[in-house]
Amino acid sequence: LAMIAYPVITQMLDLDDRATGVFLGGTIHDVAQVVGAGFSVSNETGETATLVKLIRVTMLAPVVLVFSLVIRSFAETEKPADGKRPPLIPFFVLMFLALAAINSFGLIPAALQDFLSDLSRWALLVSIAAVGMKTSLKTIFEVGGQAILLIVIDTLFIAGFILFGITYLGG
């Protein structure tokens, strides 16, 4: 819904391409939906939305690290049944950071970059299709009104927060 409705909302709010990109990248939760929504408006909006979303994704690493440290500090008194503690930083976060660093330092040849970029687009397309195939509105409604209300409130809060930032802090 956000991928379709948010570009319409930004048009009604008369946001320019850059502000629309900031709004889409800051409010839509799924990377593929951000890219789709952004580029449906314009190239500038798509590039801005993608950059904002990737910054949000990058910030996951320090947030996960802080939460890991806090959780470990509370769990110090309790030993797991198997004696093994979970890793301080999840493997997927380490791999994301490693691959981002390798790419940022230009260590991946251009031809391989192009191939991997195309491969990632196809993987993203397949994963979006898989999510769509596994999504059941009936199951969502079975979760209950309180959970749906929480999602709506969260969505409205994030949209308001981003719009506040665009309006009062510059966008």
Side-chain angles (χ1 to χ4, degrees):
L1 287 174
M3 188 174 145
I4 296 166
Y6 283 13
V8 174
I9 291 169
T10 60
Q11 188 175 33
M12 290 176 6
L13 295 172
D14 199 31
L15 299 179
D16 63 18
D17 284 347
R18 193 171 117 212
T20 297
V22 170
F23 180 78
L24 297 176
T27 56
I28 298 176
H29 302 294
D30 183 77
V31 174
Q33 291 176 8
V34 168
V35 172
F39 282 102
S40 74
V41 175
S42 73
N43 280 341
E44 182 183 355
T45 299
E47 294 290 338
T48 304
T50 302
L51 177 63
V52 169
K53 180 59 181 175
L54 291 178
I55 290 169
R56 286 178 58 201
V57 169
T58 303
M59 292 307 298
L60 285 174
V63 169
V64 168
L65 177 61
V66 168
F67 274 93
S68 293
L69 291 170
V70 169
I71 290 169
R72 274 184 173 232
S73 70
F74 284 112
E76 288 295 321
T77 58
E78 299 175 24
K79 296 287 182 200
D82 62 1
K84 294 182 181 179
R85 293 171 43 180
L88 183 59
I89 301 174
F91 182 71
F92 77 91
V93 174
L94 293 174
M95 289 307 298
F96 174 81
L97 292 173
L99 292 172
I102 289 169
N103 187 50
S104 296
F105 288 117
L107 300 176
I108 300 175
L112 183 57
Q113 259 186 349
D114 291 341
F115 170 74
L116 292 173
S117 179
D118 289 341
L119 180 64
S120 72
R121 284 189 193 99
W122 278 103
L124 190 57
L125 178 64
V126 169
S127 66
I128 292 168
V131 168
M133 296 294 291
K134 297 295 279 182
T135 300
S136 164
L137 291 177
K138 179 183 174 199
T139 305
I140 291 171
F141 289 120
E142 287 175 356
V143 170
Q146 288 181 328
I148 294 171
L149 180 62
L150 181 62
I151 292 169
V152 170
I153 290 170
D154 177 51
T155 301
L156 292 173
F157 172 78
I158 292 170
F161 184 78
I162 297 298
L163 284 173
F164 176 83
I166 290 170
T167 303
Y168 296 104
L169 303 176

